Amino acid sequence: MRSNRAKMRAGVSMAATLPMLVGALALGIPAAHAADAPHRDTLAGTKPAWATAKADQGASSDNAQYSGRVYLAGRDAAGLAAYAKAVSDPDSASYGKYLTARQARNRFGATAAQVAAVKSWLTSAGLKVTDTTRHYVAVSGDVAAAERAFGTQLHNYTRSGHTYRAPTKSASVPVHLAGAVLTVTGLDTAPHRASHDDTLPPPDTVFRNSGPFSSYYGSNTASTLPEAYGTKIPYAIKGYTGKQLRAAYGAGTRTGKGVRIAITDAYASPTIAFDAATYAKKHGDATWKTGQLHQVLPKKYTDTKDCSAAGWYGEETLDVEAVHAVAPAADVTYVGSASCNDDDLLDALGKVVDRHLADIVSNSWGGLEADATPDLLAAYDQTFQLGAVEGIGFYFSSGDNGDELANSHTKQTEFPVSSAWATAVGGTSLAVGKNNSYLWETGWGTEKAVLSADGKSWTDFPGVFTSGAGGGTSKLVAEPNYQQGVVPDALAKANSATGNRVVPDIAAIADPNTGFLVGQTQTLPDGKTQAYDEYRIGGTSLAAPVIAGVQALAQEAAGGKPLGFANPAIYARYGSKAYHDVTDNPTGSGLAVARVDFANGYDATEGLTTSVRSLGKDSSLSAVKGYDDVTGVGTPAPGYVESYRRH
């Protein structure tokens, strides 16, 4: 995924307020309020860093329109964070003592009096309340009313060649509402969008892999092509299927029976039921039972063009088919967002929590951490904490651009995967051999070189970096206690002496060159006909649902007891036989595969391209012995699932 979110918002003095803000967000506690007027409290983090005096183009028109959300802090924000931590910690007496959705709402949700007070304040300023939920009050009105309500001026600013509106100072609320308001969004108009994580998003027109292929790793050697790393290399696989992935990650006889998994993405594929059923039948996965796949969808969709809705159809297809391939008996609920905007994605996550639709939630989307804002950080963390107290865990893909330097010109992680309350899933290149045997994994990072004109060598071998698992050290989130003593100081303290969150936590197959076979209804080259077709795909969009499936198997092994926010338990198993400790060069010599692709993506009418793809070359990130910023603690080994078994 990767988004266009506005940059990090700081308070009036970013240098002075940021350390305090980061610590608060890492614990999931609303950022501290500081009085900026006798009767108002500041909402730290609601002024974006890009809204500088140099970029200021003057005041916005009083008549310009504003719409946004005032997120509610609830009756005990600090207590929510503390309880979420306690029920997730295997060493706590409260471990696993989850609340029902109603109990969580009654204990931590906003009171009717708080909601009424917030609505009264907003309407008295001249704003119109357009929606009220358990999490926020949505409002609209003109800029003049917004300025009165939030105690700030709204100006126009230039950013990256565009003009956006933003507050001149952090927003504030009347002092009597300081404990009721978590944050406010919508004051800046920069795009707040997420994108899905596929390295190769399925286009509107059918995508097909050319071949030759290997049916398992190494089964078909490219004997007529040049060597790489001193040896003949295999062709890329056609695409692993469920049996191969289940064997690689130690599923055994577990199927995820009795476990509920939710998947969140934007929009909804109109052919998902047919595609999932067809794929399962073709590849030996268990038949979907009546009522096993559900969809929870909004009443209408927005921003379908800006968000490229058709691409999200492929994301849903990948996620649903991968989850079922690994955990074929698990109940699957797809929760579609109205758009790829953060507010709508938060609504989708909120539905899972409010209705407790599942215990495990797979999310293959996100954005650059540099584009994240503390107002959104706080809203996401609150949702994750409410999930944690109910026994719900959220699994996010770590991204497909390695350290992001080539993509954004800055080394950084992504968000919301960098939240201390999310499980970050990194990626690997996976070799499954004959008879579904696990051979090895490397960290996912690809360098590509093309075949020379005379066919005798690879041009500029090993070539250029194309994609790889996201990872690295957060600049916004403090180091969580579960990473302390496991994550090396060189990583944790890369951005501050006190330490920061490092991504990922765990990993699974992601490399599209050792990827997963997916089946989807697509538009054929004639532009008119639609038909079911199949293609190989990867990205950490694949890793996240695979880990979600593995967690379903582990929950089954635990007697059905929800695993909840799993990071403390994941790190408690660090260094044990529960994990494959993945490194970039497991065989002692370089690794690569050969690929032959259709130049136009679907047939040979415009020719073929031949390339070599080196494995284990993830930008500046490295998979090494022990914890690393490509694969975290490693990938699930056969001992992982059964390590949760109740004795």
Side-chain angles (χ1 to χ4, degrees):
M1 134 187 188
R2 293 12 321 167
S3 93
N4 301 313
R5 296 196 179 104
K7 286 186 178 178
M8 160 73 191
R9 302 182 179 188
V12 175
S13 171
M14 183 172 180
T17 62
L18 186 55
M20 174 181 66
L21 177 64
V22 167
L25 291 171
L27 294 172
I29 301 171
H33 298 270
D36 67 343
H39 303 293
R40 297 186 70 88
D41 271 28
T42 297
L43 297 173
T46 48
K47 177 183 182 293
W50 48 263
T52 64
K54 184 178 180 180
D56 195 337
Q57 301 298 300
S60 301
S61 169
D62 284 349
N63 296 323
Q65 293 302 295
Y66 160 79
S67 63
R69 293 179 175 182
V70 176
Y71 281 89
L72 305 167
R75 68 195 75 192
D76 186 7
L80 171 62
Y83 195 75
K85 181 179 179 180
V87 297
S88 306
D89 182 359
D91 294 328
S92 168
S94 298
Y95 181 55
K97 295 181 179 179
Y98 304 122
L99 306 179
T100 65
R102 175 174 291 184
Q103 288 172 329
R105 182 166 62 252
N106 291 341
R107 183 166 174 176
F108 301 114
T111 66
Q114 286 176 321
V115 174
V118 169
K119 292 171 69 173
S120 176
W121 153 56
L122 294 168
T123 55
S124 67
L127 293 171
K128 179 183 179 181
V129 174
T130 58
D131 193 16
T132 303
T133 74
R134 296 168 183 168
H135 304 286
Y136 60 81
V137 176
V139 292
S140 65
D142 57 31
V143 161
E147 290 177 336
R148 286 193 297 272
F150 303 116
T152 186
Q153 298 297 305
L154 298 179
H155 280 205
N156 295 319
Y157 295 87
T158 57
R159 182 195 182 206
S160 302
H162 299 277
T163 300
Y164 302 114
R165 190 173 66 215
T168 58
K169 65 177 181 179
S170 294
S172 61
V173 299
V175 68
H176 71 280
L177 293 175
V181 176
L182 177 68
T183 192
V184 57
T185 63
L187 291 176
D188 80 76
T189 57
H192 291 263
R193 297 190 181 116
S195 59
H196 46 83
D197 275 323
D198 303 326
T199 298
L200 184 63
D204 292 334
T205 301
V206 66
F207 174 80
R208 294 171 178 151
N209 304 111
S210 168
F213 301 113
S214 293
S215 58
Y216 56 84
Y217 189 87
S219 69
N220 186 8
T221 301
S223 58
T224 62
L225 295 178
E227 293 184 348
Y229 301 107
T231 188
K232 291 293 184 180
I233 57 176
Y235 284 108
I237 62 163
K238 185 174 184 180
Y240 291 130
T241 57
K243 290 181 179 179
Q244 291 166 306
L245 297 189
R246 283 174 52 79
Y249 295 129
T253 60
R254 302 292 181 185
T255 61
K257 184 179 180 180
V259 181
R260 297 178 301 158
I261 300 174
I263 295 166
T264 70
D265 287 313
Y267 310 108
S269 167
T271 60
I272 187 60
F274 172 82
D275 294 340
T278 302
Y279 181 86
K281 183 177 181 180
K282 285 191 65 174
H283 298 288
D285 295 338
T287 301
W288 286 87
K289 295 182 179 179
T290 302
Q292 189 181 359
L293 175 61
H294 325 264
Q295 292 201 94
V296 177
L297 305 177
K299 294 180 180 179
K300 64 178 182 179
Y301 299 111
T302 62
D303 297 318
T304 55
K305 183 177 180 180
D306 290 340
C307 292
S308 185
W312 287 90
Y313 297 169
E315 182 60 66
E316 177 187 356
T317 306
L318 165 62
D319 295 350
V320 168
E321 291 177 359
V323 160
H324 185 69
V326 175
D331 183 89
V332 178
T333 299
Y334 174 76
V335 185
S337 168
S339 77
C340 67
N341 296 313
D342 276 301
D343 279 343
D344 288 330
L345 289 163
L346 274 164
D347 283 347
L349 295 172
K351 289 177 182 177
V352 177
V353 173
D354 293 343
R355 306 177 195 178
H356 201 140
L357 296 175
D359 299 323
I360 296 165
V361 189
S362 177
N363 313 273
S364 294
W365 48 268
L368 294 173
E369 191 181 65
D371 290 343
T373 53
D375 52 2
L376 287 168
L377 289 169
Y380 274 110
D381 276 357
Q382 183 189 63
T383 300
F384 298 154
Q385 291 160 19
L386 285 168
V389 303
E390 295 179 27
I392 301 171
F394 297 87
Y395 300 81
F396 278 85
S397 52
S398 69
D400 296 346
N401 296 307
D403 62 13
E404 293 290 347
L405 181 62
N407 180 50
S408 70
H409 309 294
T410 302
K411 290 183 180 181
Q412 60 182 301
T413 61
E414 299 191 347
F415 181 81
V417 68
S418 63
S419 168
W421 294 98
T423 298
V425 183
T428 68
S429 302
L430 171 66
V432 178
K434 190 175 183 180
N435 298 321
N436 301 333
S437 58
Y438 175 90
L439 301 179
W440 44 258
E441 285 172 278
T442 72
W444 170 40
T446 302
E447 290 181 346
K448 173 186 175 181
V450 299
L451 187 65
S452 62
D454 62 9
K456 295 181 179 180
S457 64
W458 302 112
T459 303
D460 298 324
F461 181 82
V464 298
F465 173 74
T466 63
S467 55
T473 307
S474 170
K475 294 180 181 178
L476 301 183
V477 182
E479 183 178 20
N481 64 321
Y482 54 77
Q483 287 197 318
Q484 295 171 5
V486 174
V487 176
D489 282 351
L491 293 175
K493 298 183 178 181
N495 294 325
S496 73
T498 55
N500 291 90
R501 166 92 160 109
V502 183
V503 172
D505 301 305
I506 195 169
I509 177 175
D511 185 352
N513 301 296
T514 65
F516 179 65
L517 194 65
V518 170
Q520 181 188 359
T521 298
Q522 299 177 80
T523 302
L524 299 184
D526 63 13
K528 301 177 181 179
T529 309
Q530 289 195 329
Y532 175 90
D533 215 304
E534 296 185 343
Y535 54 91
R536 182 187 64 238
I537 197 168
T540 52
S541 274
L542 169 60
V546 167
I547 288 296
V550 172
Q551 291 297 90
L553 307 180
Q555 182 169 324
E556 179 191 356
K561 177 75 173 178
L563 306 183
F565 172 52
N567 286 13
I570 286 172
Y571 282 86
R573 288 165 169 77
Y574 172 71
S576 74
K577 293 181 179 179
Y579 299 112
H580 299 294
D581 187 2
V582 179
T583 62
D584 279 334
N585 194 10
T587 65
S589 60
L591 291 164
V593 297
R595 270 183 58 172
V596 181
D597 296 296
F598 296 122
N600 63 10
Y602 51 83
D603 63 28
T605 57
E606 296 177 30
L608 304 172
T609 62
T610 303
S611 61
V612 58
R613 310 295 177 104
S614 291
L615 313 183
K617 308 286 187 179
D618 192 6
S619 57
S620 66
L621 310 178
S622 299
V624 298
K625 187 176 181 180
Y627 178 92
D628 60 67
D629 52 8
V630 180
T631 68
V633 297
T635 63
Y640 179 80
V641 167
E642 295 306 317
S643 73
Y644 286 87
R645 185 165 60 89
R646 284 186 169 183
H647 297 285

